[in-house]
Amino acid sequence: MDNDVEVLSSMRYEGSARRSQTYNKTFVDHIWNFFSSVRVGVWLIILILVAAAIGTIFPQETFIPPNVDPATHYESEYGTLGLIYYLLGFHNLYGSWWFIILLGMLGVSLIIASLDRGIPLYKALKTQRVTRHDQFMKKQRLFSISKEAELDEIKYTLESLRYKVREENGNLFAEKGRFSRWGAYVNHVGLIIFLLGAMLRFFPGMYVDEILWVREGEKASIPGTKSDEGQYYLENKEFILEMYDKKDKKFNGALSSVNGEVAKNYQSNVTLYKTKPNHTIGEDPELVKVQDGEIRVNEPLKFDSFALYQTDFKLNEFSKMSFELEEKATGKKFGKLTVDLHDPKKKYDLSNGYKVEIEEYFPNFILNEQNQPSTINNLPDNPAFVFSMYSPKTPKGEKAFVGIQKNIEAGENQFKMSFAGIETKDLTALTVKKDHTLWIIALGGIIFMIGVTQGLYWNYRRIWIKQNQDGVWAAAHTNKNWYGLKKDLDFLVDKTGITPLVEKETDPK
Amino acid sequence: MKKKRFWFRSALLAILVIAIGYTIYNSIFEESGTYIKKGDIAPNFVLTDLNGNRVELEDYRGKGVFLNFWGTWCKPCEREMPYMQRQYETYKKQGVEILAVNVSETNVSVNNFADRYRLTFPIPMDRQREVTKAYGIGPIPTTILIDKNGKVVGRTSESLSEKKIISFMEKIKP
């Protein structure tokens, strides 16, 4: 007759068996019930935390040196454990399929567990009755019976405490802060939005995080910025590295204790270009200037939805090397040649029958395991050459191996290549960033915090007043902060003279 | 009521599974740091090869293209070169072309290398790394398999055995 939903736990569904126990569960219901379980949710969180912790043992793929193959790097660097780490995908944790599945399952668990609890709770709280069963009243932690009480006074007092009061057959129900009960669900909505944002990073066009190296004076395409309207290019006009002047009075005090120089500014002066819409990759681009810009740390160049951040630099990379052909006996020189280290010519004609040919070029010279001259990579950090030198005196040519501080002759040569200067260039490294997911993640975070605040800083207080034969019954409940509720009740007792509500002894179970 | 619940639950679970599945699908290609996926049309590019000839990918429509990215300093690249050369001689007649894009090296270095291994397939020189960047090439060697319709049908960054190369050639043979 009385559908008090909270009388006893067995009475929660009016004594009827739970729905899931009465009807034949389908496969879908089994899955649903699995994810509905809080225990499953907690286990998912634990698994994710443990995986994330393991992911910090060795560096993530992003932080290993570029140009090494991760497949071999982890094993050679960290042994068998490293290999297992790599094979299980811990090296790229946030991108590994099983980690995404775990996160996805957590998302599913959040949605289903919230739906399964939130909706019934909402319905139950919405259809609360004013008049409650005696048993329900007695069961509450705070309870009292007064001989008599002025109902209007109680109502007025509670309303002055900003309770919402309903009246039915001379009984009262006062509630305050019901919305705090939604805190957990708002919090979950925030988390789901947050996960959605993280998920969208993997969708094309949503997220770009690339690195771009450009030499001074060169133009390079900006990775991730190609669209139907064309491809963006960036010219590095100048890279600037400024140091603090130690002699400057202003900085002297602070800098005198520091060894070496202290950087003041890292800056790239750049020009942004865009190609025509029908640009083919690799073709000499027809560039249209978009804008000039100065990029400093934390002051990116922004265009469209992209931003270029100053990230790294390399000073004084060799760009050109000059040599002179010299007769060893006389010291006489027969012309100078300048080798572009990024595009050396095969032959250099010095006229009058003198010429030099490049037989071999090693941009980053090393002697390999077989003791053969070789190169580490394609960057001219330690250039070395095998030259053939021709002169009217030596028409067959003489060979010499020439590198930095090295000059090895094939036999007894009459001529040599003498070093005549080097040109260098600076490089700048910029991070290309585009992130359409940031606002979604921020929104999720804000909603999450609202939910936390809602659930933690407010509480749902309820007071029932019921007129019975033996007097006026009062009962009160709150989901947290009993102290606050008691203060409200003290005020009520003080104003209306009802019997103070006493805390029941907790039942020894 | 029971039916309604069943459909609601099924629909919600289906949406979530599709969303997670699609994320994983994308993440797998994100992992190899690329914009080019299996099933995409390989973006067209134009480069000059070692002999000074213009090489445009689209000109090879109707042929299978074994697109290899390499450098002379890279040992695994060096290992697979003789295999590639040998299979090139076999499969060229059957309509498969090898394009061995060199990543930002000089003609002098690559010429010596090509002479040493008697390479006869075109070696487009990607001096500015434009194609390398656009194809999202990380470690080399990376091989991309393109069928006669210009569609990417495979991608790998392993050093290839001769057997593997043959199986690739069979895959893209028109």
Side-chain angles (χ1 to χ4, degrees):
Chain A
M1 52 144 219
D2 196 319
N3 75 338
D4 275 342
V5 288
E6 285 159 286
V7 174
L8 292 165
S9 64
S10 62
M11 281 292 286
R12 185 171 287 174
Y13 302 108
E14 290 300 283
S16 64
R18 264 181 292 153
R19 207 175 277 124
S20 55
Q21 291 164 337
T22 58
Y23 71 97
N24 291 333
K25 277 191 268 184
T26 61
F27 175 64
V28 171
D29 295 314
H30 277 289
I31 295 177
W32 189 274
N33 292 341
F34 174 76
F35 283 111
S36 179
S37 154
V38 170
R39 190 179 303 169
V40 169
V42 170
W43 269 110
L44 284 170
I45 292 171
I46 292 171
L47 282 175
I48 289 167
L49 286 178
V50 169
I54 294 173
T56 64
I57 294 176
F58 299 134
Q60 288 286 296
E61 195 181 24
T62 339
F63 300 108
I64 66 172
N67 290 327
V68 302
D69 188 356
T72 52
H73 175 79
Y74 283 94
E75 193 182 5
S76 61
E77 203 68 11
Y78 308 108
T80 316
L81 276 179
L83 182 67
I84 296 169
Y85 193 82
Y86 170 78
L87 290 176
L88 292 179
F90 281 106
H91 69 295
N92 182 16
L93 189 68
Y94 299 140
S96 79
W97 60 269
W98 57 265
F99 193 77
I100 296 172
I101 286 179
L102 277 181
L103 282 178
M105 283 170 76
L106 181 64
V108 174
S109 160
L110 279 170
I111 291 170
I112 290 178
S114 300
L115 282 176
D116 265 16
R117 288 174 180 74
I119 291 172
L121 179 70
Y122 177 78
K123 283 185 179 160
L125 292 185
K126 208 184 165 183
T127 56
Q128 282 183 99
R129 305 184 45 165
V130 173
T131 312
R132 286 305 180 108
H133 197 275
D134 286 354
Q135 200 60 27
F136 177 90
M137 302 281 287
K138 274 190 195 156
K139 276 257 170 189
Q140 296 305 323
R141 199 164 131 185
L142 290 167
F143 179 72
S144 80
I145 301 176
S146 314
K147 280 284 157 253
E148 54 188 19
E150 190 62 55
L151 218 61
D152 282 343
E153 189 124 358
I154 296 173
K155 189 177 175 185
Y156 173 78
T157 311
L158 286 173
E159 274 173 347
S160 77
L161 289 169
R162 276 182 285 156
Y163 279 80
K164 235 180 89 190
V165 186
R166 279 197 287 151
E167 195 175 346
E168 182 190 87
N169 305 328
N171 303 324
L172 290 182
F173 170 51
E175 58 173 338
K176 182 163 142 181
R178 191 198 282 182
F179 83 105
S180 95
R181 292 294 295 270
W182 316 137
Y185 305 98
V186 172
N187 179 314
H188 285 181
V189 168
L191 268 179
I192 290 161
I193 294 173
F194 193 99
L195 284 174
L196 186 80
M199 194 174 94
L200 283 175
R201 290 204 163 180
F202 291 106
F203 284 56
M206 293 301 281
Y207 182 72
V208 171
D209 184 5
E210 299 275 351
I211 193 115
L212 168 68
W213 283 93
V214 203
R215 281 189 188 91
E216 269 177 353
E218 286 188 10
K219 296 185 187 86
S221 67
I222 306 173
T225 62
K226 188 172 164 59
S227 69
D228 292 338
E229 286 130 51
Q231 160 83 54
Y232 280 106
Y233 271 72
L234 196 76
E235 180 181 8
N236 174 8
K237 288 196 295 195
E238 194 186 4
F239 176 77
I240 300 164
L241 172 58
E242 284 176 293
M243 298 296 180
Y244 281 103
D245 185 0
K246 285 201 164 186
K247 287 180 205 110
D248 193 321
K249 265 199 200 133
K250 207 156 123 195
F251 307 119
N252 196 287
L255 295 179
S256 56
S257 60
V258 182
N259 286 323
E261 305 245 40
V262 177
K264 183 180 178 183
N265 182 27
Y266 303 96
Q267 178 177 335
S268 303
N269 292 346
V270 297
T271 304
L272 182 71
Y273 297 90
K274 198 171 189 178
T275 64
K276 296 270 160 60
N278 53 2
H279 171 68
T280 310
I281 302 160
E283 204 172 34
D284 272 345
E286 272 183 73
L287 296 174
V288 182
K289 182 172 158 178
V290 179
Q291 64 179 103
D292 287 319
E294 293 178 357
I295 301 173
R296 285 177 215 93
V297 175
N298 290 332
E299 289 175 37
L301 174 70
K302 291 190 174 173
F303 57 97
D304 287 1
S305 47
F306 296 97
L308 298 175
Y309 290 89
Q310 184 69 53
T311 305
D312 201 355
F313 63 94
K314 181 179 175 187
L315 293 180
N316 305 326
E317 189 191 68
F318 297 149
S319 122
K320 283 174 182 159
M321 259 177 133
S322 299
F323 299 95
E324 282 170 311
L325 182 63
E326 185 181 328
E327 190 171 25
K328 282 159 81 180
T330 61
K332 218 176 140 193
K333 285 168 181 155
F334 297 93
K336 184 172 162 181
L337 55 107
T338 300
V339 181
D340 181 343
L341 297 173
H342 295 289
D343 189 16
K345 286 196 281 181
K346 179 75 186 152
K347 292 188 177 83
Y348 294 85
D349 198 347
L350 302 175
S351 71
N352 303 324
Y354 294 92
K355 64 175 182 177
V356 174
E357 280 186 25
I358 297 180
E359 300 290 348
E360 299 265 10
Y361 169 44
F362 309 101
N364 200 350
F365 170 74
I366 190 175
L367 276 178
N368 67 12
E369 297 91 12
Q370 290 90 40
N371 244 2
Q372 295 287 315
S374 167
T375 183
I376 301 168
N377 53 29
N378 53 354
L379 302 174
D381 288 336
N382 182 17
F385 304 87
V386 175
F387 287 116
S388 279
M389 300 163 285
Y390 298 91
S391 71
K393 284 183 192 164
T394 56
K396 278 188 185 155
E398 297 176 332
K399 278 191 183 171
F401 175 88
V402 181
I404 291 170
Q405 313 262 317
K406 287 183 198 74
N407 202 332
I408 302 159
E409 295 177 356
E412 195 55 30
N413 287 352
Q414 296 183 40
F415 289 86
K416 71 169 187 182
M417 300 297 292
S418 62
F419 181 72
I422 194 149
E423 280 176 45
T424 63
K425 272 183 184 176
D426 298 338
L427 279 88
T428 186
L430 305 166
T431 298
V432 186
K433 260 269 156 100
K434 166 173 145 178
D435 196 346
H436 282 323
T437 67
L438 209 56
W439 68 271
I440 301 174
I441 290 173
L443 181 73
I446 290 167
I447 293 176
F448 177 93
M449 283 316 294
I450 290 173
V452 169
T453 315
Q454 201 174 328
L456 282 183
Y457 288 89
W458 277 272
N459 36 79
Y460 184 33
R461 297 172 190 173
R462 285 183 284 181
I463 298 168
W464 296 270
I465 308 288
K466 188 175 180 182
Q467 303 214 29
N468 263 354
Q469 285 95 334
D470 59 344
V472 178
W473 289 23
H477 181 266
T478 182
N479 61 336
K480 57 171 74 80
N481 188 10
W482 290 85
Y483 176 76
L485 178 65
K486 280 179 200 159
K487 256 179 71 180
D488 284 355
L489 291 171
D490 287 346
F491 185 75
L492 181 70
V493 167
D494 194 42
K495 288 278 171 198
T496 62
I498 61 166
T499 312
L501 283 81
V502 285
E503 197 154 345
K504 262 200 329 192
E505 298 290 315
T506 37
D507 304 327
K509 278 187 182 174
Chain B
M1 184 68 190
K2 239 193 263 180
K3 243 194 176 140
K4 211 176 120 192
R5 177 182 307 116
F6 174 78
W7 286 116
F8 172 73
R9 290 182 170 185
S10 307
L12 189 75
L13 285 172
I15 291 169
L16 294 171
V17 166
I18 290 168
I20 297 165
Y22 188 57
T23 308
I24 291 166
Y25 170 80
N26 278 307
S27 79
I28 288 165
F29 295 103
E30 173 80 14
E31 193 173 19
S32 44
T34 174
Y35 316 109
I36 314 296
K37 293 179 199 158
K38 216 162 137 173
D40 285 354
I41 295 292
N44 189 27
F45 63 81
V46 178
L47 288 174
T48 306
D49 78 2
L50 194 57
N51 303 323
N53 302 318
R54 182 188 145 97
V55 175
E56 181 163 0
L57 183 66
E58 260 174 18
D59 294 344
Y60 293 92
R61 281 288 158 83
K63 284 181 171 184
V65 178
F66 183 102
L67 182 63
N68 181 267
F69 289 84
W70 70 285
T72 61
W73 72 91
C74 141
K75 288 290 155 205
C77 306
E78 193 168 352
R79 253 192 317 271
E80 64 189 21
M81 278 297 168
Y83 309 147
M84 277 164 57
Q85 177 59 33
R86 199 148 53 210
Q87 295 314 316
Y88 175 68
E89 284 157 20
T90 314
Y91 280 94
K92 191 173 165 55
K93 294 163 230 143
Q94 300 181 40
V96 180
E97 191 65 47
I98 289 182
L99 296 179
V101 176
N102 176 273
V103 180
S104 188
E105 284 190 283
T106 61
N107 280 14
V108 174
S109 307
V110 178
N111 245 324
N112 288 334
F113 185 94
D115 286 350
R116 188 155 61 237
Y117 288 101
R118 298 174 203 285
L119 304 179
T120 56
F121 43 75
I123 301 176
M125 303 294 287
D126 190 16
R127 194 148 288 141
Q128 300 297 326
R129 305 185 73 249
E130 293 297 336
V131 178
T132 308
K133 275 195 275 184
Y135 273 71
I137 304 299
I140 50 171
T142 290
T143 300
I144 293 171
L145 302 174
I146 303 169
D147 73 6
K148 62 176 192 295
N149 301 318
K151 219 165 78 180
V152 176
V153 293
R155 177 184 174 115
T156 178
S157 291
E158 48 185 314
S159 181
L160 303 172
S161 63
E162 189 151 17
K163 235 171 88 189
K164 205 75 188 255
I165 292 175
I166 293 172
S167 78
F168 284 173
M169 293 294 186
E170 287 296 331
K171 199 169 172 183
I172 54 176
K173 200 167 76 173

